[in-house]
Amino acid sequence: MESVVQEKGNLSIHTENIFPIIKKFLYSDHEIFLRELVSNAVDASQKLKQLASYGEFNGELGELKVTVKVDEAAKTITVSDRGIGMTADEIKKYINQIAFSGAAEFVEKYKDKGNDKGIIGHFGLGFYSAFMVASQVEIITKSFKEDAEPARWVCDGSTEFELTTAEKADRGTDIILHVAEDSAEFLSPHRLRGILEKYGKFLPIEIEFEEKVINNPTPIWTKNPADLKDEDYLNFYRELYPFSEEPLFWIHLNVDYPFNLTGVLYFPKLKNDFQVQREKIQLYSRQVFITDEVKDIVPDFLQLLHGVIDSPDIPLNVSRSYLQSDSNVKKINGYITRKVADKLSEMFRNDREGFEKKFDDIDLFVKYGIISDEKFYEKAKDFCLVKSTESKFYTFEEYREAIKENQTDKNGNLVWLYTSDPKKQDAFVESARKRSYDVLVLDTIIDSHFINALESKLEKVSVKRVDADTVDKLIEKDVKLESVLSSSDEEKAKKLFEELLTGKGSTVVVEAMPTDELPVVITFPEFMRRMTDMQASSGQRSMFGDMPLMYTVSVNANHPLTARILSTEDAEQQKALAKQAYDLALLSQGMLSGNELTQFIKRSVEVL
């Protein structure tokens, strides 16, 4: 039986200031101490299970759960496990020599015997995070080895320690923290439960706190997809996001080469403001929660998804608080993008009707991916859909074929017409329909960017909003309507309407349009409107500052009302008719309000 003699000594570190450094710089958030200690306890338990599987431990494993207890009166927190424990020599090696990692040695020793994924961390620096909250730390431990003598190690945060024999009947380790005055918040059971649920919710060994197991040791991402039903995935989603709507569908990730990665990603129903509603994907390393800031692991557009990613190969700094640059990160990023694209492609091919029903809820996500990730676009161009005002869906290639006969302009460009607000722009949509033109609905917060991407990626395609110009100018053909007005009458009409626009800085044009069009049409130049939409969607101030939006007032030379206005001899009556026609155009664009709207209503009543 190994004998423990009373011993005092100095920790094997090269500076007297190691603990202030750990406290101030290594761990930015003091609550991390509990994650580290519980992770170490889980490690010790996992190691014992592995040794038993190798035939190097023949005793009874029994219950291997980790227990966390708090004693508010004694001001202590105790983390206990029934794992491999330590001998006095191992305490000297693993605790006193900070730079030496017990987990690293264990993995190296047994690397040829199979799976080391159960070893979470390194019994070294993580343990020393305890001194962020404790004025004194005590270890009482007994090794699983036969006839091992229990040992007790005590340190007050200086470089001095005390190592003695101890009383302990069962194998395993108790870490007892004597909590410092400035860390009294951690003596609150509510606070501790919150930390345990945050970091240890899915640890692979049961964690007991206040006589209740607080974790799920076998979350679904650790299971074989073939053994899972839809309800299992939905129940897990509810566990992660208890107040969210049910997801549309999900992807189970499982790869072991060239890196290890498991997880489940869910597609939520996306609202039109994706900045506000990100629930955040959770990143784990061997079931230990690391962070929900996954921007380096997951492409930006995929951060709209929900769920869990778990990988032991994600490079973390020693405190696990942030990711480090590494080739594996890029590989993982690319793999996730490919898996998501493949899943969507498979759904589209296998169930087009079902895919269309879901598309309104995921189009924001797909469009975001097309804009921001070229590799995603290469696959998404075959399943991304556009929807017409008739609620019919098309792929890009299908839409090209559907409209090419009627919507190809005189220069051979295919013109895609769209509305960003079908109700507000209804008059313009109707004008397009009269020409048998199809109109798409592109009304999400991201569509101004998506339109630019379409024009840059699709050959000889121009995208225009239905109110960007008069209908015959939207898709210019070789045939032009003739004006019924003389050039002098056109000039007269132009001046009359320009007087109505004094100080507004907009342009008046008189042009030949079909007689069934409005007498006056207000349109916004596509470039200016699109730039304004893009800046609004990104929260930026408009490049046009406080200037009013420039627009074009097109007077229909062929409308009967235009001829009537010009033939009216009473100047005031002529001006009133022109004003009424102009206000109708403003009203059709939702631009008439306040006193101008009141006066328009009064004039309309008088006419009636």
Side-chain angles (χ1 to χ4, degrees), residues 529-546:
R529 184 210 49 72
R530 200 182 297 180
M531 288 298 293
T532 303
D533 286 352
M534 287 173 68
Q535 287 170 326
S537 70
S538 59
Q540 297 176 13
R541 179 183 168 84
S542 170
M543 65 181 287
F544 306 110
D546 295 324

Side-chain angles (χ1 to χ4, degrees), residues 121-336:
H122 300 255
F123 204 76
L125 280 174
F127 163 74
Y128 278 91
S129 66
F131 287 99
M132 294 191 300
V133 300
S135 57
Q136 185 182 74
V137 177
E138 198 175 344
I139 300 173
I140 298 174
T141 183
K142 183 180 181 183
S143 173
F144 75 97
K145 294 172 183 173
E146 200 171 337
D147 297 329
E149 190 173 2
R152 177 177 177 269
W153 178 94
V154 183
C155 182
D156 63 3
S158 69
T159 57
E160 295 182 352
F161 70 88
E162 183 176 290
L163 181 61
T164 60
T165 55
E167 293 292 324
K168 183 170 174 54
D170 197 10
R171 64 161 199 267
T173 301
D174 301 330
I175 308 286
I176 304 161
L177 310 187
H178 298 267
V179 177
E181 290 295 327
D182 62 0
S183 297
E185 64 175 289
F186 296 110
L187 291 170
S188 158
H190 178 74
R191 179 82 166 94
L192 289 185
R193 172 176 280 275
I195 300 169
L196 289 169
E197 288 177 347
K198 177 179 179 180
Y199 293 104
K201 195 171 184 179
F202 301 111
L203 279 168
I205 297 290
E206 286 189 352
I207 313 298
E208 184 178 279
F209 181 66
E210 294 184 311
E211 299 183 348
K212 289 183 182 177
V213 173
I214 58 93
N215 63 318
N216 172 4
T218 54
I220 63 170
W221 78 81
T222 65
K223 299 176 181 178
N224 187 332
D227 299 331
L228 297 167
K229 297 176 181 177
D230 286 357
E231 194 58 31
D232 296 318
Y233 288 103
L234 291 170
N235 285 337
F236 184 64
Y237 187 80
R238 294 176 194 125
E239 194 175 343
L240 290 173
Y241 311 108
F243 303 109
S244 294
E245 284 186 80
E246 288 196 347
L248 297 163
F249 49 93
W250 48 85
I251 299 173
H252 197 130
L253 305 169
N254 195 348
V255 62
D256 54 18
Y257 182 82
F259 46 80
N260 287 292
L261 178 88
T262 53
V264 179
L265 293 178
Y266 292 90
F267 285 71
K269 291 183 179 179
L270 294 181
K271 304 298 184 289
N272 209 359
D273 186 358
F274 56 79
Q275 293 295 338
V276 174
Q277 58 119 41
R278 295 186 187 199
E279 291 283 354
K280 296 191 175 180
I281 295 169
Q282 297 175 10
L283 176 64
Y284 288 75
S285 181
R286 297 186 176 107
Q287 297 174 237
V288 181
F289 175 74
I290 302 300
T291 181
D292 56 13
E293 295 295 334
V294 294
K295 61 185 178 63
D296 295 317
I297 294 290
V298 178
D300 193 43
F301 75 97
L302 288 174
Q303 289 174 43
L304 297 173
L305 300 182
H306 299 167
V308 166
I309 292 171
D310 189 328
S311 176
D313 292 333
I314 294 173
L316 305 169
N317 72 337
V318 71
S319 68
R320 312 191 214 196
S321 60
Y322 65 85
L323 302 171
Q324 295 176 332
S325 176
D326 183 86
S327 61
N328 267 348
V329 169
K330 290 182 180 177
K331 289 176 186 174
I332 290 170
N333 186 302
Y335 168 79
I336 293 171

Side-chain angles (χ1 to χ4, degrees), residues 509-523:
V509 296
V510 180
E511 60 181 277
M513 289 185 269
T515 55
D516 59 359
E517 288 297 309
L518 289 171
V520 181
V521 179
I522 290 174
T523 58

Side-chain angles (χ1 to χ4, degrees), residues 9-27 30 95-98 124-137 153-161:
N10 288 305
L11 299 177
S12 301
I13 48 182
H14 299 295
T15 171
E16 295 291 316
N17 299 318
I18 188 70
F19 291 107
I21 289 171
I22 288 174
K23 193 164 186 174
K24 187 171 183 180
F25 297 112
L26 183 58
Y27 295 93
H30 287 189
I95 301 299
N96 295 348
Q97 296 177 26
I98 287 180
L125 280 174
F127 163 74
Y128 278 91
S129 66
F131 287 99
M132 294 191 300
V133 300
S135 57
Q136 185 182 74
V137 177
W153 178 94
V154 183
C155 182
D156 63 3
S158 69
T159 57
E160 295 182 352
F161 70 88

Side-chain angles (χ1 to χ4, degrees), residues 465-507:
R465 201 168 90 176
V466 285
D467 61 348
D469 216 326
T470 54
V471 69
D472 288 328
K473 285 186 176 178
L474 283 173
I475 305 176
E476 288 193 278
K477 307 286 178 99
D478 284 325
V479 181
K480 283 196 172 183
L481 283 173
E482 293 294 325
S483 171
V484 300
L485 297 181
S486 66
S487 57
S488 62
D489 277 347
E490 285 187 357
E491 190 60 32
K492 184 179 175 183
K494 188 172 188 292
K495 286 183 178 178
L496 180 60
F497 279 91
E498 281 177 342
E499 288 176 10
L500 299 175
L501 302 180
T502 303
K504 293 200 168 64
S506 295
T507 304

